[in-house]
Amino acid sequence: MLVAQSPFMHIHAELADSLEFGLTPMGTRRVINILGGTVSGERVNGRILPGGADWQVIRSDALADISARYTIETASGALVLVNSDGVRHGPPDVIARHARGEAVDPALYYFRTAMRFEAPVDSDVAWLNGIIGVATGRREKNAVLLDIHAVV
């Protein structure tokens, strides 16, 4: 398996404050609603529509188990469903800084997601249906930035 060296797409998702559910049988649950954002790349440009969310469970080992679902509207008007599942973890002091909304160097923590896409078969982005993306991410106070690479 090879991952393309250059990202084919960049996402800047604007996030609401997290809804903290507290400790559940699965772990500490939180949901972060996606307010919107932008998508840019050589073959895909557009915006993230409001209404998606990132459902997270913070496990007993402090790893964040991430499951995000949202919609991209491309510049040509195609609607693309995005399913993104991954993990984020790092040293306790770095994660605590994240929790306080501080800027943290992304080299200090691990944040990766596997991404699947569902696009209309008659659209200019139908090729997204046939790939899996791997995103490297960084978290800001009220945004997440993803660089998405194709698995080839």
Side-chain angles (χ1 to χ4, degrees):
M1 172 182 69
L2 298 172
V3 176
Q5 293 294 326
S6 299
F8 73 87
M9 183 167 55
H10 305 278
I11 289 179
H12 181 272
E14 300 161 10
L15 307 174
D17 291 336
S18 64
L19 302 170
E20 303 291 334
F21 288 69
L23 184 61
T24 73
M26 301 300 289
T28 302
R29 172 71 68 179
R30 66 179 166 214
V31 175
I32 304 165
N33 290 310
I34 298 171
L35 303 175
T38 58
V39 177
S40 61
E42 198 170 300
R43 296 176 66 190
V44 183
N45 287 284
R47 65 186 184 120
I48 297 173
L49 298 180
D54 181 356
W55 291 269
Q56 297 183 0
V57 173
I58 309 305
R59 302 181 338 190
S60 61
D61 61 0
L63 183 141
D65 190 338
I66 298 166
S67 182
R69 305 290 180 263
Y70 51 95
T71 303
I72 293 171
E73 181 181 41
T74 68
S76 64
L79 297 177
V80 180
L81 296 171
V82 179
N83 293 308
S84 179
D85 295 300
V87 297
R88 187 180 69 229
H89 58 83
D93 62 311
V94 171
I95 299 305
R97 289 173 52 203
H98 262 299
R100 292 191 298 269
E102 296 178 21
V104 178
D105 180 349
L108 299 177
Y109 59 96
Y110 184 89
F111 181 4
R112 304 289 186 275
T113 67
M115 302 179 76
R116 297 286 309 267
F117 307 94
E118 186 177 343
V121 296
D122 61 350
S123 71
D124 61 333
V125 291
W127 59 272
L128 287 169
N129 294 318
I131 68 162
I132 294 175
V134 174
T136 57
R138 55 193 182 278
R139 183 74 158 87
E140 296 180 347
K141 180 171 173 46
N142 287 101
V144 67
L145 292 88
L146 301 171
D147 294 326
I148 302 139
H149 303 260
V151 177
V152 292

PDB file of all heavy atoms in Angstrom, residues 52-87:
ATOM      1  N   GLY A  52     -22.995  18.634   9.848  1.00  0.00           N
ATOM      2  CA  GLY A  52     -22.270  17.422  10.198  1.00  0.00           C
ATOM      3  C   GLY A  52     -21.777  17.497  11.628  1.00  0.00           C
ATOM      4  O   GLY A  52     -21.984  18.493  12.330  1.00  0.00           O
ATOM      5  N   ALA A  53     -21.108  16.454  12.063  1.00  0.00           N
ATOM      6  CA  ALA A  53     -20.572  16.442  13.428  1.00  0.00           C
ATOM      7  C   ALA A  53     -19.433  15.439  13.536  1.00  0.00           C
ATOM      8  O   ALA A  53     -19.260  14.564  12.684  1.00  0.00           O
ATOM      9  CB  ALA A  53     -21.658  16.112  14.439  1.00  0.00           C
ATOM     10  N   ASP A  54     -18.690  15.610  14.581  1.00  0.00           N
ATOM     11  CA  ASP A  54     -17.592  14.718  14.960  1.00  0.00           C
ATOM     12  C   ASP A  54     -17.985  14.110  16.300  1.00  0.00           C
ATOM     13  O   ASP A  54     -18.087  14.815  17.297  1.00  0.00           O
ATOM     14  CB  ASP A  54     -16.310  15.548  15.070  1.00  0.00           C
ATOM     15  CG  ASP A  54     -15.086  14.740  15.427  1.00  0.00           C
ATOM     16  OD1 ASP A  54     -15.215  13.518  15.673  1.00  0.00           O
ATOM     17  OD2 ASP A  54     -14.002  15.323  15.475  1.00  0.00           O
ATOM     18  N   TRP A  55     -18.241  12.795  16.291  1.00  0.00           N
ATOM     19  CA  TRP A  55     -18.608  12.083  17.509  1.00  0.00           C
ATOM     20  C   TRP A  55     -17.346  11.449  18.061  1.00  0.00           C
ATOM     21  O   TRP A  55     -16.702  10.651  17.384  1.00  0.00           O
ATOM     22  CB  TRP A  55     -19.656  11.011  17.208  1.00  0.00           C
ATOM     23  CG  TRP A  55     -20.982  11.584  16.830  1.00  0.00           C
ATOM     24  CD1 TRP A  55     -22.012  11.870  17.665  1.00  0.00           C
ATOM     25  CD2 TRP A  55     -21.440  11.938  15.520  1.00  0.00           C
ATOM     26  NE1 TRP A  55     -23.066  12.382  16.954  1.00  0.00           N
ATOM     27  CE2 TRP A  55     -22.740  12.442  15.638  1.00  0.00           C
ATOM     28  CE3 TRP A  55     -20.855  11.897  14.249  1.00  0.00           C
ATOM     29  CZ2 TRP A  55     -23.486  12.882  14.551  1.00  0.00           C
ATOM     30  CZ3 TRP A  55     -21.581  12.344  13.157  1.00  0.00           C
ATOM     31  CH2 TRP A  55     -22.881  12.825  13.316  1.00  0.00           C
ATOM     32  N   GLN A  56     -16.981  11.802  19.266  1.00  0.00           N
ATOM     33  CA  GLN A  56     -15.733  11.318  19.845  1.00  0.00           C
ATOM     34  C   GLN A  56     -15.980  10.569  21.149  1.00  0.00           C
ATOM     35  O   GLN A  56     -16.885  10.906  21.908  1.00  0.00           O
ATOM     36  CB  GLN A  56     -14.774  12.480  20.141  1.00  0.00           C
ATOM     37  CG  GLN A  56     -14.346  13.231  18.914  1.00  0.00           C
ATOM     38  CD  GLN A  56     -13.343  14.323  19.225  1.00  0.00           C
ATOM     39  OE1 GLN A  56     -12.955  14.543  20.372  1.00  0.00           O
ATOM     40  NE2 GLN A  56     -12.912  15.015  18.193  1.00  0.00           N
ATOM     41  N   VAL A  57     -15.132   9.586  21.371  1.00  0.00           N
ATOM     42  CA  VAL A  57     -15.063   8.901  22.664  1.00  0.00           C
ATOM     43  C   VAL A  57     -13.624   9.021  23.127  1.00  0.00           C
ATOM     44  O   VAL A  57     -12.691   8.660  22.400  1.00  0.00           O
ATOM     45  CB  VAL A  57     -15.457   7.414  22.552  1.00  0.00           C
ATOM     46  CG1 VAL A  57     -15.214   6.693  23.872  1.00  0.00           C
ATOM     47  CG2 VAL A  57     -16.907   7.273  22.122  1.00  0.00           C
ATOM     48  N   ILE A  58     -13.454   9.550  24.333  1.00  0.00           N
ATOM     49  CA  ILE A  58     -12.132   9.601  24.933  1.00  0.00           C
ATOM     50  C   ILE A  58     -12.018   8.334  25.779  1.00  0.00           C
ATOM     51  O   ILE A  58     -12.737   8.157  26.761  1.00  0.00           O
ATOM     52  CB  ILE A  58     -11.929  10.863  25.797  1.00  0.00           C
ATOM     53  CG1 ILE A  58     -12.316  12.121  25.009  1.00  0.00           C
ATOM     54  CG2 ILE A  58     -10.495  10.923  26.298  1.00  0.00           C
ATOM     55  CD1 ILE A  58     -11.614  12.282  23.686  1.00  0.00           C
ATOM     56  N   ARG A  59     -11.143   7.461  25.357  1.00  0.00           N
ATOM     57  CA  ARG A  59     -11.010   6.155  26.002  1.00  0.00           C
ATOM     58  C   ARG A  59     -10.252   6.268  27.321  1.00  0.00           C
ATOM     59  O   ARG A  59      -9.650   7.300  27.630  1.00  0.00           O
ATOM     60  CB  ARG A  59     -10.301   5.188  25.058  1.00  0.00           C
ATOM     61  CG  ARG A  59     -11.021   5.025  23.737  1.00  0.00           C
ATOM     62  CD  ARG A  59     -10.380   4.059  22.792  1.00  0.00           C
ATOM     63  NE  ARG A  59      -8.976   3.795  22.999  1.00  0.00           N
ATOM     64  CZ  ARG A  59      -8.207   3.124  22.160  1.00  0.00           C
ATOM     65  NH1 ARG A  59      -8.706   2.664  21.045  1.00  0.00           N
ATOM     66  NH2 ARG A  59      -6.937   2.918  22.412  1.00  0.00           N
ATOM     67  N   SER A  60     -10.230   5.188  28.064  1.00  0.00           N
ATOM     68  CA  SER A  60      -9.539   5.164  29.361  1.00  0.00           C
ATOM     69  C   SER A  60      -8.038   5.384  29.224  1.00  0.00           C
ATOM     70  O   SER A  60      -7.388   5.851  30.154  1.00  0.00           O
ATOM     71  CB  SER A  60      -9.812   3.854  30.105  1.00  0.00           C
ATOM     72  OG  SER A  60      -9.333   2.758  29.347  1.00  0.00           O
ATOM     73  N   ASP A  61      -7.476   5.107  28.039  1.00  0.00           N
ATOM     74  CA  ASP A  61      -6.049   5.360  27.800  1.00  0.00           C
ATOM     75  C   ASP A  61      -5.801   6.758  27.226  1.00  0.00           C
ATOM     76  O   ASP A  61      -4.709   7.049  26.759  1.00  0.00           O
ATOM     77  CB  ASP A  61      -5.442   4.290  26.899  1.00  0.00           C
ATOM     78  CG  ASP A  61      -6.087   4.223  25.518  1.00  0.00           C
ATOM     79  OD1 ASP A  61      -7.022   5.013  25.234  1.00  0.00           O
ATOM     80  OD2 ASP A  61      -5.669   3.378  24.719  1.00  0.00           O
ATOM     81  N   ALA A  62      -6.821   7.623  27.253  1.00  0.00           N
ATOM     82  CA  ALA A  62      -6.784   9.027  26.826  1.00  0.00           C
ATOM     83  C   ALA A  62      -6.754   9.206  25.311  1.00  0.00           C
ATOM     84  O   ALA A  62      -6.678  10.331  24.827  1.00  0.00           O
ATOM     85  CB  ALA A  62      -5.633   9.792  27.472  1.00  0.00           C
ATOM     86  N   LEU A  63      -6.848   8.147  24.532  1.00  0.00           N
ATOM     87  CA  LEU A  63      -6.909   8.248  23.083  1.00  0.00           C
ATOM     88  C   LEU A  63      -8.299   8.719  22.674  1.00  0.00           C
ATOM     89  O   LEU A  63      -9.299   8.227  23.190  1.00  0.00           O
ATOM     90  CB  LEU A  63      -6.600   6.893  22.455  1.00  0.00           C
ATOM     91  CG  LEU A  63      -6.563   6.847  20.933  1.00  0.00           C
ATOM     92  CD1 LEU A  63      -5.442   5.931  20.487  1.00  0.00           C
ATOM     93  CD2 LEU A  63      -7.879   6.386  20.374  1.00  0.00           C
ATOM     94  N   ALA A  64      -8.377   9.684  21.758  1.00  0.00           N
ATOM     95  CA  ALA A  64      -9.659  10.141  21.216  1.00  0.00           C
ATOM     96  C   ALA A  64      -9.990   9.300  19.990  1.00  0.00           C
ATOM     97  O   ALA A  64      -9.240   9.289  19.012  1.00  0.00           O
ATOM     98  CB  ALA A  64      -9.584  11.618  20.848  1.00  0.00           C
ATOM     99  N   ASP A  65     -11.087   8.576  20.057  1.00  0.00           N
ATOM    100  CA  ASP A  65     -11.604   7.784  18.945  1.00  0.00           C
ATOM    101  C   ASP A  65     -12.593   8.674  18.193  1.00  0.00           C
ATOM    102  O   ASP A  65     -13.612   9.080  18.750  1.00  0.00           O
ATOM    103  CB  ASP A  65     -12.279   6.533  19.494  1.00  0.00           C
ATOM    104  CG  ASP A  65     -12.639   5.532  18.426  1.00  0.00           C
ATOM    105  OD1 ASP A  65     -12.764   5.916  17.248  1.00  0.00           O
ATOM    106  OD2 ASP A  65     -12.806   4.357  18.776  1.00  0.00           O
ATOM    107  N   ILE A  66     -12.280   9.001  16.949  1.00  0.00           N
ATOM    108  CA  ILE A  66     -12.999  10.025  16.194  1.00  0.00           C
ATOM    109  C   ILE A  66     -13.841   9.393  15.094  1.00  0.00           C
ATOM    110  O   ILE A  66     -13.370   8.527  14.360  1.00  0.00           O
ATOM    111  CB  ILE A  66     -11.979  11.005  15.567  1.00  0.00           C
ATOM    112  CG1 ILE A  66     -11.180  11.699  16.669  1.00  0.00           C
ATOM    113  CG2 ILE A  66     -12.651  11.993  14.645  1.00  0.00           C
ATOM    114  CD1 ILE A  66      -9.946  12.411  16.153  1.00  0.00           C
ATOM    115  N   SER A  67     -15.081   9.870  14.958  1.00  0.00           N
ATOM    116  CA  SER A  67     -15.956   9.439  13.873  1.00  0.00           C
ATOM    117  C   SER A  67     -16.736  10.658  13.399  1.00  0.00           C
ATOM    118  O   SER A  67     -17.653  11.118  14.077  1.00  0.00           O
ATOM    119  CB  SER A  67     -16.904   8.347  14.362  1.00  0.00           C
ATOM    120  OG  SER A  67     -17.724   7.902  13.307  1.00  0.00           O
ATOM    121  N   ALA A  68     -16.352  11.197  12.245  1.00  0.00           N
ATOM    122  CA  ALA A  68     -16.984  12.401  11.720  1.00  0.00           C
ATOM    123  C   ALA A  68     -17.767  12.084  10.448  1.00  0.00           C
ATOM    124  O   ALA A  68     -17.342  11.259   9.641  1.00  0.00           O
ATOM    125  CB  ALA A  68     -15.933  13.471  11.426  1.00  0.00           C
ATOM    126  N   ARG A  69     -18.904  12.748  10.303  1.00  0.00           N
ATOM    127  CA  ARG A  69     -19.744  12.633   9.111  1.00  0.00           C
ATOM    128  C   ARG A  69     -20.170  14.042   8.713  1.00  0.00           C
ATOM    129  O   ARG A  69     -20.683  14.788   9.539  1.00  0.00           O
ATOM    130  CB  ARG A  69     -20.999  11.795   9.389  1.00  0.00           C
ATOM    131  CG  ARG A  69     -20.721  10.405   9.955  1.00  0.00           C
ATOM    132  CD  ARG A  69     -20.085   9.503   8.907  1.00  0.00           C
ATOM    133  NE  ARG A  69     -19.827   8.188   9.428  1.00  0.00           N
ATOM    134  CZ  ARG A  69     -18.660   7.774   9.916  1.00  0.00           C
ATOM    135  NH1 ARG A  69     -17.630   8.593   9.978  1.00  0.00           N
ATOM    136  NH2 ARG A  69     -18.493   6.548  10.345  1.00  0.00           N
ATOM    137  N   TYR A  70     -19.953  14.382   7.432  1.00  0.00           N
ATOM    138  CA  TYR A  70     -20.345  15.711   6.976  1.00  0.00           C
ATOM    139  C   TYR A  70     -20.486  15.713   5.462  1.00  0.00           C
ATOM    140  O   TYR A  70     -20.224  14.705   4.802  1.00  0.00           O
ATOM    141  CB  TYR A  70     -19.367  16.785   7.458  1.00  0.00           C
ATOM    142  CG  TYR A  70     -17.905  16.502   7.178  1.00  0.00           C
ATOM    143  CD1 TYR A  70     -17.290  17.007   6.038  1.00  0.00           C
ATOM    144  CD2 TYR A  70     -17.137  15.764   8.068  1.00  0.00           C
ATOM    145  CE1 TYR A  70     -15.944  16.771   5.794  1.00  0.00           C
ATOM    146  CE2 TYR A  70     -15.796  15.521   7.838  1.00  0.00           C
ATOM    147  CZ  TYR A  70     -15.200  16.029   6.691  1.00  0.00           C
ATOM    148  OH  TYR A  70     -13.872  15.788   6.455  1.00  0.00           O
ATOM    149  N   THR A  71     -20.902  16.859   4.914  1.00  0.00           N
ATOM    150  CA  THR A  71     -21.157  16.984   3.489  1.00  0.00           C
ATOM    151  C   THR A  71     -20.314  18.098   2.893  1.00  0.00           C
ATOM    152  O   THR A  71     -20.249  19.195   3.437  1.00  0.00           O
ATOM    153  CB  THR A  71     -22.648  17.296   3.233  1.00  0.00           C
ATOM    154  OG1 THR A  71     -23.441  16.271   3.827  1.00  0.00           O
ATOM    155  CG2 THR A  71     -22.957  17.373   1.746  1.00  0.00           C
ATOM    156  N   ILE A  72     -19.695  17.789   1.759  1.00  0.00           N
ATOM    157  CA  ILE A  72     -18.989  18.784   0.951  1.00  0.00           C
ATOM    158  C   ILE A  72     -19.897  19.147  -0.216  1.00  0.00           C
ATOM    159  O   ILE A  72     -20.479  18.268  -0.865  1.00  0.00           O
ATOM    160  CB  ILE A  72     -17.665  18.218   0.403  1.00  0.00           C
ATOM    161  CG1 ILE A  72     -16.677  17.948   1.537  1.00  0.00           C
ATOM    162  CG2 ILE A  72     -17.067  19.159  -0.641  1.00  0.00           C
ATOM    163  CD1 ILE A  72     -15.426  17.185   1.093  1.00  0.00           C
ATOM    164  N   GLU A  73     -20.023  20.443  -0.495  1.00  0.00           N
ATOM    165  CA  GLU A  73     -20.646  20.906  -1.724  1.00  0.00           C
ATOM    166  C   GLU A  73     -19.517  21.444  -2.595  1.00  0.00           C
ATOM    167  O   GLU A  73     -18.838  22.408  -2.217  1.00  0.00           O
ATOM    168  CB  GLU A  73     -21.666  22.004  -1.458  1.00  0.00           C
ATOM    169  CG  GLU A  73     -22.341  22.487  -2.732  1.00  0.00           C
ATOM    170  CD  GLU A  73     -23.341  23.597  -2.473  1.00  0.00           C
ATOM    171  OE1 GLU A  73     -23.059  24.495  -1.652  1.00  0.00           O
ATOM    172  OE2 GLU A  73     -24.400  23.557  -3.099  1.00  0.00           O
ATOM    173  N   THR A  74     -19.294  20.802  -3.738  1.00  0.00           N
ATOM    174  CA  THR A  74     -18.179  21.206  -4.596  1.00  0.00           C
ATOM    175  C   THR A  74     -18.531  22.489  -5.353  1.00  0.00           C
ATOM    176  O   THR A  74     -19.702  22.882  -5.434  1.00  0.00           O
ATOM    177  CB  THR A  74     -17.813  20.106  -5.608  1.00  0.00           C
ATOM    178  OG1 THR A  74     -18.882  19.956  -6.545  1.00  0.00           O
ATOM    179  CG2 THR A  74     -17.519  18.781  -4.913  1.00  0.00           C
ATOM    180  N   ALA A  75     -17.517  23.109  -5.929  1.00  0.00           N
ATOM    181  CA  ALA A  75     -17.719  24.327  -6.713  1.00  0.00           C
ATOM    182  C   ALA A  75     -18.676  24.088  -7.884  1.00  0.00           C
ATOM    183  O   ALA A  75     -19.386  24.998  -8.308  1.00  0.00           O
ATOM    184  CB  ALA A  75     -16.380  24.845  -7.214  1.00  0.00           C
ATOM    185  N   SER A  76     -18.738  22.839  -8.382  1.00  0.00           N
ATOM    186  CA  SER A  76     -19.650  22.513  -9.490  1.00  0.00           C
ATOM    187  C   SER A  76     -21.056  22.152  -8.999  1.00  0.00           C
ATOM    188  O   SER A  76     -21.930  21.862  -9.806  1.00  0.00           O
ATOM    189  CB  SER A  76     -19.077  21.349 -10.307  1.00  0.00           C
ATOM    190  OG  SER A  76     -19.010  20.181  -9.512  1.00  0.00           O
ATOM    191  N   GLY A  77     -21.256  22.143  -7.666  1.00  0.00           N
ATOM    192  CA  GLY A  77     -22.583  21.867  -7.118  1.00  0.00           C
ATOM    193  C   GLY A  77     -22.821  20.432  -6.691  1.00  0.00           C
ATOM    194  O   GLY A  77     -23.888  20.111  -6.169  1.00  0.00           O
ATOM    195  N   ALA A  78     -21.859  19.545  -6.869  1.00  0.00           N
ATOM    196  CA  ALA A  78     -22.030  18.147  -6.443  1.00  0.00           C
ATOM    197  C   ALA A  78     -21.982  18.067  -4.916  1.00  0.00           C
ATOM    198  O   ALA A  78     -21.196  18.770  -4.271  1.00  0.00           O
ATOM    199  CB  ALA A  78     -20.934  17.277  -7.041  1.00  0.00           C
ATOM    200  N   LEU A  79     -22.827  17.218  -4.360  1.00  0.00           N
ATOM    201  CA  LEU A  79     -22.815  16.967  -2.918  1.00  0.00           C
ATOM    202  C   LEU A  79     -22.076  15.659  -2.664  1.00  0.00           C
ATOM    203  O   LEU A  79     -22.368  14.638  -3.284  1.00  0.00           O
ATOM    204  CB  LEU A  79     -24.237  16.887  -2.370  1.00  0.00           C
ATOM    205  CG  LEU A  79     -25.064  18.169  -2.493  1.00  0.00           C
ATOM    206  CD1 LEU A  79     -26.476  17.935  -1.974  1.00  0.00           C
ATOM    207  CD2 LEU A  79     -24.397  19.319  -1.745  1.00  0.00           C
ATOM    208  N   VAL A  80     -21.118  15.708  -1.746  1.00  0.00           N
ATOM    209  CA  VAL A  80     -20.278  14.552  -1.437  1.00  0.00           C
ATOM    210  C   VAL A  80     -20.386  14.256   0.048  1.00  0.00           C
ATOM    211  O   VAL A  80     -20.105  15.121   0.879  1.00  0.00           O
ATOM    212  CB  VAL A  80     -18.802  14.823  -1.814  1.00  0.00           C
ATOM    213  CG1 VAL A  80     -17.934  13.620  -1.489  1.00  0.00           C
ATOM    214  CG2 VAL A  80     -18.675  15.219  -3.277  1.00  0.00           C
ATOM    215  N   LEU A  81     -20.793  13.031   0.365  1.00  0.00           N
ATOM    216  CA  LEU A  81     -20.809  12.592   1.756  1.00  0.00           C
ATOM    217  C   LEU A  81     -19.403  12.173   2.154  1.00  0.00           C
ATOM    218  O   LEU A  81     -18.708  11.500   1.390  1.00  0.00           O
ATOM    219  CB  LEU A  81     -21.756  11.410   1.941  1.00  0.00           C
ATOM    220  CG  LEU A  81     -23.227  11.685   1.666  1.00  0.00           C
ATOM    221  CD1 LEU A  81     -24.012  10.384   1.673  1.00  0.00           C
ATOM    222  CD2 LEU A  81     -23.792  12.647   2.682  1.00  0.00           C
ATOM    223  N   VAL A  82     -18.986  12.559   3.362  1.00  0.00           N
ATOM    224  CA  VAL A  82     -17.672  12.208   3.879  1.00  0.00           C
ATOM    225  C   VAL A  82     -17.860  11.411   5.162  1.00  0.00           C
ATOM    226  O   VAL A  82     -18.591  11.819   6.058  1.00  0.00           O
ATOM    227  CB  VAL A  82     -16.824  13.467   4.178  1.00  0.00           C
ATOM    228  CG1 VAL A  82     -15.471  13.079   4.741  1.00  0.00           C
ATOM    229  CG2 VAL A  82     -16.677  14.320   2.937  1.00  0.00           C
ATOM    230  N   ASN A  83     -17.192  10.261   5.230  1.00  0.00           N
ATOM    231  CA  ASN A  83     -17.117   9.445   6.441  1.00  0.00           C
ATOM    232  C   ASN A  83     -15.659   9.378   6.839  1.00  0.00           C
ATOM    233  O   ASN A  83     -14.814   8.935   6.061  1.00  0.00           O
ATOM    234  CB  ASN A  83     -17.634   8.023   6.186  1.00  0.00           C
ATOM    235  CG  ASN A  83     -19.106   8.011   5.889  1.00  0.00           C
ATOM    236  OD1 ASN A  83     -19.899   8.561   6.630  1.00  0.00           O
ATOM    237  ND2 ASN A  83     -19.479   7.387   4.787  1.00  0.00           N
ATOM    238  N   SER A  84     -15.363   9.830   8.042  1.00  0.00           N
ATOM    239  CA  SER A  84     -13.979   9.930   8.494  1.00  0.00           C
ATOM    240  C   SER A  84     -13.853   9.319   9.882  1.00  0.00           C
ATOM    241  O   SER A  84     -14.517   9.768  10.811  1.00  0.00           O
ATOM    242  CB  SER A  84     -13.573  11.410   8.517  1.00  0.00           C
ATOM    243  OG  SER A  84     -12.259  11.567   8.956  1.00  0.00           O
ATOM    244  N   ASP A  85     -13.017   8.301   9.997  1.00  0.00           N
ATOM    245  CA  ASP A  85     -12.801   7.623  11.279  1.00  0.00           C
ATOM    246  C   ASP A  85     -11.319   7.607  11.588  1.00  0.00           C
ATOM    247  O   ASP A  85     -10.503   7.274  10.716  1.00  0.00           O
ATOM    248  CB  ASP A  85     -13.327   6.185  11.219  1.00  0.00           C
ATOM    249  CG  ASP A  85     -14.829   6.148  11.026  1.00  0.00           C
ATOM    250  OD1 ASP A  85     -15.541   6.680  11.895  1.00  0.00           O
ATOM    251  OD2 ASP A  85     -15.285   5.612  10.010  1.00  0.00           O
ATOM    252  N   GLY A  86     -10.972   7.974  12.817  1.00  0.00           N
ATOM    253  CA  GLY A  86      -9.560   8.012  13.150  1.00  0.00           C
ATOM    254  C   GLY A  86      -9.283   8.135  14.630  1.00  0.00           C
ATOM    255  O   GLY A  86     -10.164   7.881  15.465  1.00  0.00           O
ATOM    256  N   VAL A  87      -8.063   8.542  14.923  1.00  0.00           N
ATOM    257  CA  VAL A  87      -7.612   8.666  16.307  1.00  0.00           C
ATOM    258  C   VAL A  87      -6.756   9.917  16.476  1.00  0.00           C
ATOM    259  O   VAL A  87      -6.118  10.389  15.536  1.00  0.00           O
ATOM    260  CB  VAL A  87      -6.794   7.435  16.774  1.00  0.00           C
ATOM    261  CG1 VAL A  87      -7.647   6.175  16.758  1.00  0.00           C
ATOM    262  CG2 VAL A  87      -5.549   7.249  15.941  1.00  0.00           C
TER     263      VAL A  87
END
